[in-house]
Amino acid sequence: MRTRSLYVAAAAAVALLGATVLVLASLLGSSDSSATPARTASAGTSALFTGIPQHAATLGRPTAPVTLVEYADLQCPYCGLWARQQLPSIVDQLVRSGRLQIRFHGLAFVGPDSQTALAGAIAAGRQNRLWDFVDLMYQSQETENAGWVDPVLDDTASAAQLDMDRWTSDRRSGSLVDEIDRLSAGAAAAGVHSTPSFGLARTGEPPKLLDTHDLDATSLRGLIDQLAPR
Amino acid sequence: MTDRQLRATIGLLALAGTALAAYLVFVHYSGRPITCSFGGCETVHRSKYSEVLGVPVALLGLGAYVAILALSLWCSEAARAAGLAIALSGVLFGAYLLYAQVVVIEALCEWCLLSDALLSVIAALSLLRLLTKGAPAPPGVPARART
């Protein structure tokens, strides 16, 4: 009996030690956010959007009754936070089910790198993979204007499974500059003064700006149900 | 329960856990969407808590279930203790991940909850197996049938 008690005690001690090591390793890994390069995140990004139609800057079925417009700058920290914390649930619960489509309305006001990043996103949109690219950029996001965009750009495009030659050519084309200007003017006309901002409307109607910068799946579901009752 | 019954039950539960963890490992590396009834699985799957130092938690779970399965086939005091240690370790780490799901991620993954439940039952049965070595075999059963 004493031997059994010793075995139980030893098992409990080993279990406690093992669990402690795992928790510490998890905390250590999770505190080092920079250790999440684009390639590591690519599987998760791909999984999030797999099976959901993408067309240019729009994610979701064209038949979705409601459209959310996300006004964002790829360098904006709160945009990155929203994309990492809220977007997965929204895509899981509302886009995948066909209730919602989301249009990415990119802006480039934080700094010159914002324009570089946005050009990359629009060029990815020409291959209908803008959402993969944008999500991966947010996974790699660091401090604004700290020079993180250029070093991760090619890896991000590659992880988003883009045709690299076409993407490189597209993102340097002059037409993108005009498109970025159009996006900027469109946001100003919509009354967007900060990012992330969100506009919501029945699909096909002009979006109305929402009075929130931290939209979550639960509140968005309520708004969708109001706009398009089942 | 006899020790044989305990081992069989633990083995079956570990087999179910192995299948569950293998599916999650497949999802992790294939990039395919995860099947989910309530919609929180993808959020949890994409969170930083889905990996420990670059190793998918699902892969750790798979290793644990396979080890428990192997130990359930092995009849010795050390095997019983090792099985209990692994299961208990999984329960404790699972509790930490459950806390992360509820408080930090604010999403629940039903596969993780199922795995937590499996590990809890396995841990309880492993403790029973170690403490009692199973009940004696019924009268008339030859001694060699006792394991």
Side-chain angles (χ1 to χ4, degrees):
Chain A
M1 187 64 200
R2 193 175 167 210
T3 316
R4 280 187 212 167
S5 300
L6 280 175
Y7 271 113
V8 171
V14 169
L16 198 59
L17 184 68
T20 306
V21 168
L22 284 171
V23 170
L24 288 177
S26 173
L27 290 172
L28 187 71
S30 63
S31 67
D32 182 11
S33 58
S34 64
T36 312
R39 283 185 193 285
T40 309
S42 64
T45 294
S46 173
L48 181 63
F49 301 127
T50 296
I52 302 177
Q54 287 190 50
H55 180 71
T58 303
L59 175 76
R61 292 183 210 161
T63 53
V66 176
T67 299
L68 175 75
V69 182
E70 178 201 355
Y71 299 92
D73 184 312
L74 288 171
Q75 281 212 95
C76 144
Y78 290 107
C79 303
L81 206 59
W82 182 82
R84 290 187 294 270
Q85 292 187 345
Q86 307 293 359
L87 183 67
S89 307
I90 290 172
V91 171
D92 259 358
Q93 298 171 23
L94 301 169
V95 178
R96 193 171 289 285
S97 65
R99 291 284 287 159
L100 178 74
Q101 56 173 285
I102 312 179
R103 190 169 78 240
F104 181 81
H105 190 118
L107 297 170
F109 67 90
V110 173
D113 282 351
S114 298
Q115 178 129 354
T116 307
L118 181 55
I122 296 169
R126 291 186 177 178
Q127 296 182 40
N128 297 325
R129 297 194 73 84
L130 174 143
W131 283 87
D132 298 77
F133 181 88
V134 165
D135 195 61
L136 289 166
M137 286 295 281
Y138 280 139
Q139 303 290 341
S140 303
Q141 193 186 58
E142 291 179 27
T143 311
E144 307 152 80
N145 299 322
W148 63 272
V149 170
D150 270 327
V152 304
L153 212 55
D154 284 351
D155 271 357
T156 303
S158 172
Q161 298 172 24
L162 295 170
D163 174 336
M164 292 300 286
D165 290 340
R166 187 178 154 201
W167 175 76
T168 304
S169 157
D170 280 348
R171 79 183 182 91
R172 289 177 179 154
S173 80
S175 67
L176 280 198
V177 179
D178 296 337
E179 190 162 342
I180 290 170
D181 287 345
R182 272 199 302 276
L183 286 168
S184 177
V192 173
H193 301 296
S194 58
T195 55
S197 287
F198 304 99
L200 192 72
R202 288 183 61 84
T203 298
E205 295 177 4
K208 286 183 184 160
L209 271 189
L210 300 177
D211 187 24
T212 178
H213 298 289
D214 190 23
L215 192 61
D216 62 28
T218 307
S219 53
L220 185 54
R221 182 184 290 111
L223 294 169
I224 291 171
D225 287 344
Q226 283 174 24
L227 281 171
R230 289 172 191 268
Chain B
M1 285 178 95
T2 64
D3 188 61
R4 175 175 289 221
Q5 287 169 330
L6 280 173
R7 283 168 56 195
T9 311
I10 291 170
L12 281 174
L13 292 172
L15 199 61
T18 302
L20 188 158
Y23 168 67
L24 295 179
V25 170
F26 167 73
V27 165
H28 186 95
Y29 286 112
S30 69
R32 292 170 69 94
I34 189 167
T35 304
C36 195
S37 308
F38 306 113
C41 304
E42 199 70 71
T43 311
V44 175
H45 177 63
R46 286 166 51 82
S47 77
K48 58 196 175 189
Y49 294 93
S50 69
E51 291 188 350
V52 174
L53 298 179
V55 179
V57 170
L59 194 58
L60 295 174
L62 181 61
Y65 281 120
V66 169
I68 291 170
L69 184 60
L71 288 165
S72 74
L73 304 173
W74 188 12
C75 183
S76 79
E77 207 96 52
R80 292 183 176 100
L84 174 63
I86 293 170
L88 208 51
S89 191
V91 169
L92 293 172
F93 187 53
Y96 159 75
L97 292 177
L98 182 60
Y99 166 82
Q101 286 177 68
V102 173
V103 176
V104 184
I105 309 170
E106 295 180 351
L108 284 172
C109 162
E110 63 211 47
W111 297 104
C112 312
L113 299 179
L114 182 59
S115 179
D116 291 344
L118 279 174
L119 278 171
S120 299
V121 177
I122 290 174
L125 292 177
S126 300
L127 179 63
L128 190 64
R129 190 181 167 212
L130 186 59
L131 283 176
T132 64
K133 287 189 181 177
V141 177
R144 68 174 180 280
R146 298 181 192 177
T147 50

Coordinates of all heavy atoms in Angstrom, one line a residue, chain B residues 71-142:
Chain B
L71 N 0.7 2.7 -22.8 CA 0.9 2.3 -21.4 C -0.3 1.5 -20.9 O -0.2 0.7 -19.9 CB 1.0 3.6 -20.5 CG 2.3 4.3 -20.7 CD1 2.3 5.7 -20.1 CD2 3.5 3.5 -20.0
S72 N -1.5 1.7 -21.5 CA -2.7 0.9 -21.1 C -2.5 -0.6 -21.5 O -3.2 -1.5 -20.9 CB -4.0 1.4 -21.7 OG -4.0 1.1 -23.1
L73 N -1.6 -0.9 -22.4 CA -1.4 -2.3 -22.8 C -0.3 -2.9 -21.9 O -0.1 -4.1 -22.0 CB -0.9 -2.3 -24.3 CG -1.8 -1.6 -25.3 CD1 -1.1 -1.6 -26.7 CD2 -3.1 -2.4 -25.4
W74 N 0.4 -2.1 -21.1 CA 1.5 -2.6 -20.4 C 1.1 -2.7 -18.9 O 0.5 -1.8 -18.3 CB 2.6 -1.6 -20.5 CG 3.9 -2.0 -19.9 CD1 4.3 -3.2 -19.5 CD2 5.1 -1.1 -19.7 NE1 5.6 -3.2 -19.0 CE2 6.1 -1.9 -19.2 CE3 5.3 0.3 -20.0 CZ2 7.3 -1.4 -18.9 CZ3 6.5 0.8 -19.7 CH2 7.5 0.0 -19.1
C75 N 1.3 -3.9 -18.3 CA 0.8 -4.1 -17.0 C 2.0 -4.1 -16.0 O 2.6 -5.1 -15.8 CB 0.1 -5.5 -16.9 SG -0.6 -5.8 -15.3
S76 N 2.2 -2.9 -15.4 CA 3.2 -2.8 -14.3 C 2.8 -1.6 -13.5 O 2.1 -0.7 -14.0 CB 4.6 -2.7 -14.9 OG 4.8 -1.4 -15.3
E77 N 3.4 -1.5 -12.3 CA 3.1 -0.4 -11.4 C 3.6 0.9 -12.1 O 3.0 2.0 -12.1 CB 3.8 -0.6 -10.1 CG 3.2 0.1 -8.9 CD 2.2 -0.8 -8.2 OE1 2.6 -1.9 -7.8 OE2 1.1 -0.4 -8.0
A78 N 4.8 0.8 -12.7 CA 5.4 2.0 -13.4 C 4.6 2.5 -14.5 O 4.4 3.7 -14.7 CB 6.8 1.6 -13.9
A79 N 4.0 1.5 -15.3 CA 3.1 1.9 -16.4 C 1.9 2.6 -15.9 O 1.4 3.6 -16.5 CB 2.7 0.7 -17.2
R80 N 1.3 2.1 -14.8 CA 0.1 2.8 -14.3 C 0.4 4.2 -13.8 O -0.3 5.1 -14.1 CB -0.4 2.0 -13.0 CG -0.9 0.6 -13.4 CD -1.4 -0.1 -12.1 NE -2.0 -1.3 -12.3 CZ -1.5 -2.5 -12.2 NH1 -0.2 -2.6 -11.7 NH2 -2.1 -3.6 -12.4
A81 N 1.6 4.3 -13.1 CA 2.0 5.6 -12.6 C 2.3 6.6 -13.8 O 1.9 7.8 -13.7 CB 3.2 5.5 -11.7
A82 N 3.0 6.1 -14.8 CA 3.3 6.9 -16.0 C 2.0 7.4 -16.7 O 1.9 8.6 -17.1 CB 4.2 6.2 -16.9
G83 N 1.1 6.5 -16.8 CA -0.2 6.8 -17.5 C -0.9 7.9 -16.7 O -1.4 8.9 -17.3
L84 N -0.9 7.7 -15.4 CA -1.6 8.7 -14.5 C -0.9 10.1 -14.7 O -1.5 11.1 -14.8 CB -1.6 8.3 -13.1 CG -2.1 9.3 -12.1 CD1 -3.6 9.6 -12.3 CD2 -1.9 8.8 -10.6
A85 N 0.5 10.1 -14.6 CA 1.2 11.3 -14.7 C 0.9 12.1 -16.0 O 0.7 13.3 -16.0 CB 2.7 11.0 -14.6
I86 N 0.9 11.3 -17.1 CA 0.6 12.0 -18.4 C -0.8 12.5 -18.5 O -1.0 13.7 -18.9 CB 0.8 11.0 -19.6 CG1 2.3 10.6 -19.7 CG2 0.4 11.6 -20.9 CD1 2.6 9.4 -20.6
A87 N -1.8 11.7 -18.0 CA -3.2 12.2 -18.1 C -3.4 13.4 -17.2 O -4.0 14.4 -17.5 CB -4.1 11.0 -17.7
L88 N -2.8 13.3 -16.0 CA -2.9 14.4 -15.0 C -2.3 15.7 -15.5 O -2.8 16.8 -15.4 CB -2.3 14.0 -13.7 CG -2.9 14.6 -12.4 CD1 -4.4 14.5 -12.3 CD2 -2.3 13.9 -11.2
S89 N -1.1 15.5 -16.1 CA -0.4 16.7 -16.7 C -1.3 17.3 -17.8 O -1.4 18.5 -17.9 CB 0.9 16.2 -17.3 OG 1.7 17.2 -17.7
G90 N -2.0 16.5 -18.6 CA -2.9 16.9 -19.7 C -4.1 17.7 -19.1 O -4.5 18.7 -19.6
V91 N -4.6 17.2 -18.0 CA -5.7 17.8 -17.3 C -5.3 19.2 -16.8 O -6.1 20.2 -17.0 CB -6.3 17.0 -16.2 CG1 -7.3 17.7 -15.3 CG2 -6.9 15.7 -16.7
L92 N -4.2 19.3 -16.2 CA -3.7 20.6 -15.6 C -3.5 21.6 -16.8 O -3.9 22.7 -16.7 CB -2.5 20.4 -14.8 CG -2.7 19.6 -13.5 CD1 -1.3 19.3 -12.8 CD2 -3.6 20.3 -12.5
F93 N -2.8 21.1 -17.8 CA -2.5 22.0 -18.9 C -3.8 22.4 -19.6 O -4.0 23.6 -20.1 CB -1.5 21.4 -19.9 CG -1.0 22.3 -21.0 CD1 -0.5 23.5 -20.7 CD2 -1.1 22.0 -22.3 CE1 0.0 24.4 -21.7 CE2 -0.7 22.8 -23.3 CZ -0.1 24.0 -23.0
G94 N -4.7 21.5 -19.7 CA -6.0 21.7 -20.3 C -6.8 22.8 -19.5 O -7.5 23.6 -20.1
A95 N -6.6 22.7 -18.2 CA -7.3 23.7 -17.4 C -6.8 25.1 -17.7 O -7.5 26.1 -17.8 CB -7.1 23.4 -15.9
Y96 N -5.4 25.2 -17.8 CA -4.8 26.5 -18.2 C -5.3 27.0 -19.6 O -5.7 28.2 -19.7 CB -3.3 26.3 -18.2 CG -2.6 27.4 -19.0 CD1 -2.4 28.7 -18.5 CD2 -2.0 27.1 -20.3 CE1 -1.7 29.6 -19.3 CE2 -1.4 28.0 -21.0 CZ -1.2 29.3 -20.5 OH -0.5 30.2 -21.3
L97 N -5.4 26.1 -20.5 CA -5.9 26.5 -21.9 C -7.4 26.8 -21.8 O -7.8 27.7 -22.6 CB -5.7 25.3 -22.9 CG -4.2 25.0 -23.2 CD1 -4.1 23.8 -24.1 CD2 -3.5 26.2 -23.8
L98 N -8.1 26.2 -21.0 CA -9.6 26.5 -20.8 C -9.7 27.9 -20.3 O -10.5 28.7 -20.7 CB -10.3 25.5 -19.9 CG -11.8 25.7 -19.7 CD1 -12.5 25.6 -21.0 CD2 -12.3 24.7 -18.7
Y99 N -8.8 28.3 -19.3 CA -8.8 29.6 -18.7 C -8.5 30.6 -19.9 O -9.2 31.7 -20.0 CB -7.8 29.7 -17.6 CG -7.4 31.1 -17.2 CD1 -8.3 31.8 -16.3 CD2 -6.3 31.7 -17.7 CE1 -7.9 33.1 -16.0 CE2 -6.0 33.0 -17.4 CZ -6.8 33.7 -16.5 OH -6.5 35.0 -16.1
A100 N -7.5 30.3 -20.7 CA -7.1 31.2 -21.8 C -8.3 31.4 -22.8 O -8.5 32.5 -23.3 CB -5.9 30.6 -22.5
Q101 N -9.0 30.3 -23.0 CA -10.1 30.4 -24.0 C -11.2 31.3 -23.4 O -11.8 32.1 -24.2 CB -10.7 29.0 -24.2 CG -9.9 28.1 -25.1 CD -10.6 26.7 -25.2 OE1 -11.6 26.5 -25.8 NE2 -9.9 25.7 -24.6
V102 N -11.5 31.1 -22.1 CA -12.6 31.9 -21.6 C -12.2 33.3 -21.3 O -13.0 34.3 -21.7 CB -13.1 31.2 -20.2 CG1 -14.1 32.1 -19.5 CG2 -13.7 29.8 -20.5
V103 N -11.1 33.6 -20.7 CA -10.7 34.9 -20.3 C -10.0 35.7 -21.4 O -10.2 36.9 -21.5 CB -9.8 34.8 -19.0 CG1 -9.4 36.2 -18.6 CG2 -10.6 34.1 -17.9
V104 N -9.0 35.1 -22.1 CA -8.2 35.8 -23.0 C -8.7 35.8 -24.4 O -9.0 36.9 -25.0 CB -6.7 35.3 -23.0 CG1 -5.8 36.1 -23.9 CG2 -6.2 35.2 -21.6
I105 N -9.0 34.6 -24.9 CA -9.4 34.5 -26.3 C -10.9 34.8 -26.5 O -11.4 35.3 -27.5 CB -9.1 33.1 -26.9 CG1 -7.7 32.7 -26.6 CG2 -9.4 33.0 -28.4 CD1 -7.4 31.2 -26.9
E106 N -11.7 34.6 -25.4 CA -13.1 34.8 -25.4 C -13.8 33.9 -26.5 O -14.7 34.4 -27.2 CB -13.5 36.2 -25.5 CG -13.0 37.0 -24.3 CD -13.3 38.5 -24.4 OE1 -13.8 39.0 -25.4 OE2 -13.1 39.2 -23.4
A107 N -13.3 32.7 -26.7 CA -14.0 31.8 -27.6 C -13.7 30.4 -27.1 O -12.6 30.1 -26.5 CB -13.4 32.0 -29.0
L108 N -14.6 29.5 -27.4 CA -14.4 28.1 -26.9 C -14.3 27.2 -28.1 O -15.1 27.3 -29.1 CB -15.6 27.7 -26.0 CG -15.6 28.2 -24.6 CD1 -17.0 27.9 -23.9 CD2 -14.5 27.7 -23.8
C109 N -13.4 26.2 -28.0 CA -13.2 25.2 -29.0 C -13.8 23.9 -28.5 O -13.3 23.4 -27.5 CB -11.8 25.1 -29.4 SG -11.4 23.6 -30.2
E110 N -14.9 23.4 -29.2 CA -15.5 22.2 -28.7 C -14.6 21.0 -28.7 O -14.7 20.1 -27.8 CB -16.8 22.0 -29.5 CG -16.6 21.7 -30.9 CD -17.8 22.1 -31.8 OE1 -18.2 23.3 -31.6 OE2 -18.2 21.4 -32.6
W111 N -13.7 20.9 -29.6 CA -12.7 19.8 -29.7 C -11.8 19.8 -28.5 O -11.5 18.8 -27.9 CB -11.9 19.9 -31.0 CG -12.7 19.8 -32.2 CD1 -13.0 20.8 -33.1 CD2 -13.3 18.6 -32.8 NE1 -13.8 20.3 -34.1 CE2 -14.0 19.0 -33.9 CE3 -13.3 17.3 -32.4 CZ2 -14.7 18.1 -34.7 CZ3 -14.0 16.4 -33.1 CH2 -14.7 16.8 -34.3
C112 N -11.4 21.0 -28.1 CA -10.6 21.1 -26.9 C -11.3 20.7 -25.6 O -10.8 20.0 -24.8 CB -10.1 22.6 -26.7 SG -9.5 23.3 -28.2
L113 N -12.6 21.1 -25.6 CA -13.4 20.7 -24.4 C -13.6 19.2 -24.3 O -13.6 18.6 -23.3 CB -14.8 21.4 -24.5 CG -14.8 23.0 -24.4 CD1 -16.2 23.5 -24.5 CD2 -14.1 23.5 -23.1
L114 N -13.8 18.6 -25.5 CA -14.0 17.2 -25.6 C -12.7 16.5 -25.1 O -12.7 15.5 -24.4 CB -14.3 16.7 -27.0 CG -14.6 15.3 -27.2 CD1 -15.7 14.8 -26.4 CD2 -15.0 15.0 -28.7
S115 N -11.6 17.0 -25.6 CA -10.3 16.4 -25.2 C -10.1 16.6 -23.6 O -9.6 15.7 -23.0 CB -9.1 17.1 -25.9 OG -7.9 16.6 -25.5
D116 N -10.5 17.8 -23.1 CA -10.4 18.0 -21.7 C -11.2 16.9 -20.9 O -10.7 16.4 -19.9 CB -10.9 19.4 -21.3 CG -10.0 20.5 -21.8 OD1 -8.8 20.2 -22.1 OD2 -10.4 21.6 -21.8
A117 N -12.4 16.6 -21.4 CA -13.3 15.7 -20.8 C -12.6 14.3 -20.8 O -12.6 13.5 -19.8 CB -14.6 15.7 -21.4
L118 N -12.1 13.9 -22.0 CA -11.5 12.6 -22.2 C -10.3 12.4 -21.2 O -10.2 11.4 -20.5 CB -11.0 12.4 -23.6 CG -12.0 12.1 -24.7 CD1 -11.4 12.1 -26.1 CD2 -12.6 10.7 -24.4
L119 N -9.5 13.5 -21.1 CA -8.3 13.4 -20.3 C -8.7 13.3 -18.8 O -8.0 12.6 -18.0 CB -7.4 14.6 -20.5 CG -6.5 14.4 -21.7 CD1 -5.8 15.8 -22.0 CD2 -5.4 13.3 -21.5
S120 N -9.8 14.0 -18.4 CA -10.2 14.0 -17.0 C -10.7 12.6 -16.7 O -10.3 12.0 -15.6 CB -11.3 14.9 -16.8 OG -10.9 16.2 -17.1
V121 N -11.4 11.9 -17.5 CA -11.9 10.6 -17.2 C -10.7 9.6 -17.2 O -10.6 8.7 -16.3 CB -13.0 10.1 -18.3 CG1 -13.4 8.7 -18.0 CG2 -14.2 11.1 -18.2
I122 N -9.8 9.8 -18.2 CA -8.6 8.9 -18.2 C -7.8 9.0 -16.9 O -7.4 8.0 -16.4 CB -7.8 9.2 -19.5 CG1 -8.5 8.7 -20.7 CG2 -6.4 8.5 -19.4 CD1 -7.8 9.1 -22.0
A123 N -7.7 10.3 -16.5 CA -6.9 10.5 -15.3 C -7.5 9.9 -14.1 O -6.9 9.2 -13.2 CB -6.7 12.0 -15.0
A124 N -8.9 10.0 -14.0 CA -9.6 9.4 -12.9 C -9.5 7.9 -12.9 O -9.2 7.2 -11.9 CB -11.1 9.8 -12.9
L125 N -9.6 7.3 -14.1 CA -9.5 5.8 -14.2 C -8.1 5.4 -13.9 O -7.8 4.3 -13.3 CB -10.0 5.4 -15.6 CG -11.5 5.5 -15.9 CD1 -11.8 5.1 -17.3 CD2 -12.3 4.7 -14.9
S126 N -7.1 6.2 -14.4 CA -5.7 5.8 -14.1 C -5.4 5.8 -12.6 O -4.6 5.0 -12.1 CB -4.8 6.8 -14.9 OG -5.0 6.7 -16.2
L127 N -5.9 6.8 -11.9 CA -5.7 6.9 -10.5 C -6.4 5.6 -9.8 O -5.7 5.0 -8.9 CB -6.4 8.2 -9.9 CG -6.2 8.4 -8.4 CD1 -4.8 8.5 -8.0 CD2 -7.0 9.6 -8.0
L128 N -7.6 5.3 -10.3 CA -8.2 4.1 -9.7 C -7.4 2.9 -10.0 O -7.2 2.0 -9.1 CB -9.6 4.0 -10.4 CG -10.6 3.0 -9.8 CD1 -11.0 3.4 -8.4 CD2 -11.8 2.9 -10.7
R129 N -6.9 2.8 -11.2 CA -6.1 1.7 -11.6 C -4.8 1.5 -10.7 O -4.4 0.4 -10.3 CB -5.7 1.8 -13.1 CG -5.0 0.6 -13.6 CD -4.6 0.8 -15.1 NE -3.8 -0.3 -15.5 CZ -2.8 -0.2 -16.4 NH1 -2.6 1.0 -17.0 NH2 -2.1 -1.2 -16.7
L130 N -4.2 2.7 -10.4 CA -3.0 2.7 -9.6 C -3.3 2.4 -8.1 O -2.5 1.6 -7.5 CB -2.3 4.0 -9.7 CG -0.9 4.1 -9.1 CD1 0.1 3.1 -9.6 CD2 -0.3 5.5 -9.3
L131 N -4.4 2.9 -7.6 CA -4.7 2.7 -6.2 C -5.2 1.3 -5.9 O -4.9 0.8 -4.9 CB -5.8 3.8 -5.8 CG -5.3 5.2 -5.6 CD1 -6.5 6.1 -5.3 CD2 -4.3 5.3 -4.4
T132 N -6.0 0.8 -6.8 CA -6.6 -0.5 -6.5 C -6.0 -1.7 -7.3 O -6.2 -2.8 -6.9 CB -8.1 -0.5 -6.9 OG1 -8.2 -0.3 -8.3 CG2 -8.8 0.7 -6.2
K133 N -5.3 -1.3 -8.3 CA -4.8 -2.4 -9.2 C -6.0 -3.1 -9.8 O -5.9 -4.3 -10.2 CB -3.9 -3.4 -8.6 CG -2.5 -2.8 -8.3 CD -1.6 -3.9 -7.9 CE -0.2 -3.4 -7.5 NZ 0.6 -4.5 -7.0
G134 N -7.2 -2.5 -9.7 CA -8.4 -3.2 -10.2 C -8.9 -4.1 -9.1 O -8.1 -4.5 -8.2
A135 N -10.2 -4.4 -9.2 CA -10.8 -5.3 -8.2 C -10.3 -6.7 -8.5 O -9.9 -7.0 -9.6 CB -12.3 -5.2 -8.2
P136 N -10.3 -7.6 -7.5 CA -9.9 -9.0 -7.8 C -10.8 -9.6 -8.8 O -12.0 -9.2 -8.9 CB -10.1 -9.7 -6.4 CG -10.2 -8.6 -5.4 CD -10.7 -7.4 -6.1
A137 N -10.3 -10.5 -9.6 CA -11.1 -11.2 -10.6 C -12.1 -12.0 -9.9 O -11.9 -12.5 -8.8 CB -10.2 -12.0 -11.5
P138 N -13.3 -12.2 -10.5 CA -14.4 -13.0 -9.9 C -13.9 -14.4 -9.7 O -13.0 -14.9 -10.3 CB -15.5 -12.9 -10.9 CG -15.0 -12.3 -12.1 CD -13.7 -11.7 -11.8
P139 N -14.6 -15.1 -8.6 CA -14.2 -16.4 -8.3 C -14.3 -17.3 -9.6 O -15.2 -17.1 -10.4 CB -15.2 -16.9 -7.3 CG -15.8 -15.6 -6.8 CD -15.6 -14.6 -7.8
G140 N -13.4 -18.2 -9.7 CA -13.5 -19.1 -10.8 C -12.6 -18.7 -12.0 O -12.4 -19.5 -12.9
V141 N -12.2 -17.4 -12.0 CA -11.4 -17.0 -13.1 C -10.0 -17.4 -12.8 O -9.5 -17.1 -11.7 CB -11.5 -15.4 -13.3 CG1 -10.6 -14.9 -14.3 CG2 -12.9 -15.0 -13.6
P142 N -9.3 -18.0 -13.7 CA -7.9 -18.5 -13.5 C -7.0 -17.3 -13.2 O -7.2 -16.2 -13.7 CB -7.5 -19.2 -14.7 CG -8.7 -19.4 -15.5 CD -9.8 -18.4 -15.0

